[in-house]
Amino acid sequence: MWSREILKSNAKIALTGRYWRAFVVALLVSLLSGLANLGNTLSRLADTYESFWGIWGAHDLENFSTHVHFMNWLDAWAVALALFGFLLAVFVYNVFQVGQARYFVQNHFGGTSIETLFSGFRSGYGNTVAAMVVTGLYVFFWSLLLLIPGIYKSYQYFMVPYILSDNPHIPGYRARTISRMMTDGEKLNIFLLDLSFLGWYLLGTLCLGVGVFFVNPYYEATKAELYIYLRDRAIQTGQVSPEELGLVFHAPGGENPFGPPPTYMK
């Protein structure tokens, strides 16, 4: 059984002396996420403007034509940006998510470069895109049933980006199967782990929202620690082999190139 406190402690150790590089990696992914959601943001602004017009300008017939033209302009840009954001999310952001997972996992075992963030574009790009899209669709369709099934499915596939970061050529269906095995009986615990960062993110939001960016490396490093534990457990129980994940644990000299195994037990 793993402990939230020890996961976070290991994350802090992994970030020691390497925090600012991790900060840049997490910041780039966050900014890309915001760029992919520009269409939704503009659409919400248009809805807000329409609501205010309905309250304050509904009887302003003189400017009604200008209002209609402006709303049409906003709607057109919202649709265009939504399409751009969708394509960006599918073909770029998803791959960066996998690269970010790879960065923080490797960061546990020693310093790694920011270039690791771009690793998904160099190997297994097509498979990564397809696996992430299908996984996202599964979560989306389950969310249509009710909110709870969607949340359940998102935690069931929580480890897919990490599995793809280890082996970008693994079939998407197999990555989802392994993620289901890894998270079996752990979904509530993972949810509580996420919830434990709520205070940090609220504090970051109060700091003009900028503070959120400083919490992200800590959060991502903690998730990577969880994956390393669940990955090791899945290998030890025979649910998956190191070779299937593209891992080589023992070099010819017998040493472990990934470093000593992490400690998670209370």
Side-chain angles (χ1 to χ4, degrees):
M1 180 61 186
W2 50 273
S3 159
R4 291 194 299 274
E5 292 76 15
I6 297 181
L7 285 181
K8 290 181 176 182
S9 175
N10 286 345
K12 291 175 183 176
I13 294 171
L15 290 173
T16 301
R18 300 191 287 268
Y19 174 82
W20 289 110
R21 190 160 49 194
F23 174 83
V24 171
V25 168
L27 178 64
L28 289 173
V29 176
S30 295
L31 293 177
L32 192 61
S33 174
L35 190 60
N37 283 288
L38 272 179
N40 292 332
T41 301
L42 186 58
S43 180
R44 286 193 291 269
L45 287 174
D47 291 340
T48 302
Y49 170 77
E50 182 71 11
S51 298
F52 275 106
W53 173 265
I55 296 173
W56 305 108
H59 304 292
D60 188 0
L61 299 180
E62 182 178 347
N63 293 314
F64 180 75
S65 177
T66 302
H67 163 71
V68 171
H69 286 301
F70 182 64
M71 283 303 303
N72 289 338
W73 180 83
L74 276 180
D75 290 339
W77 269 102
V79 170
L81 288 174
L83 178 60
F84 168 75
F86 172 77
L87 295 175
L88 187 69
V90 168
F91 295 106
V92 180
Y93 175 67
N94 282 343
V95 184
F96 270 96
Q97 275 192 300
V98 173
Q100 178 178 242
R102 185 176 182 83
Y103 175 89
F104 279 97
V105 169
Q106 289 190 354
N107 186 68
H108 167 88
F109 299 103
T112 184
S113 68
I114 294 177
E115 291 180 0
T116 304
L117 181 62
F118 303 90
S119 59
F121 295 97
R122 296 193 294 267
S123 178
Y125 173 76
N127 183 68
T128 296
V129 168
M132 291 293 286
V133 167
V134 174
T135 301
L137 287 175
Y138 271 110
V139 174
F140 172 74
F141 286 125
W142 275 80
S143 298
L144 293 179
L145 299 177
L146 276 175
L147 178 63
I148 298 301
I151 295 174
Y152 177 88
K153 214 65 178 177
S154 68
Y155 281 105
Q156 193 174 56
Y157 294 145
F158 196 83
M159 296 301 165
V160 168
Y162 295 90
I163 295 166
L164 289 169
S165 76
D166 275 340
N167 181 5
H169 302 285
I170 192 170
Y173 75 88
R174 180 58 180 163
R176 287 186 290 275
T177 299
I178 296 172
S179 181
R180 286 199 299 269
M181 291 188 296
M182 284 184 175
T183 58
D184 185 32
E186 300 286 4
K187 287 177 279 292
L188 178 59
N189 292 327
I190 299 173
F191 171 75
L192 293 175
L193 176 64
D194 276 349
L195 201 61
S196 70
F197 282 90
L198 182 60
W200 284 106
Y201 277 110
L202 287 176
L203 182 62
T205 302
L206 291 176
C207 298
L208 302 177
V210 178
V212 169
F213 296 116
F214 292 90
V215 180
N216 284 340
Y218 180 32
Y219 174 61
E220 295 298 335
T222 303
K223 289 197 300 180
E225 294 294 327
L226 174 61
Y227 172 69
I228 293 167
Y229 169 76
L230 294 179
R231 180 183 70 183
D232 290 350
R233 187 177 69 180
I235 291 172
Q236 291 166 8
T237 56
Q239 293 178 318
V240 63
S241 67
E243 293 77 16
E244 189 174 16
L245 292 177
L247 302 176
V248 179
F249 280 94
H250 297 287
E255 67 274 14
N256 185 347
F258 291 94
T263 302
Y264 295 92
M265 305 301 291
K266 290 184 178 179

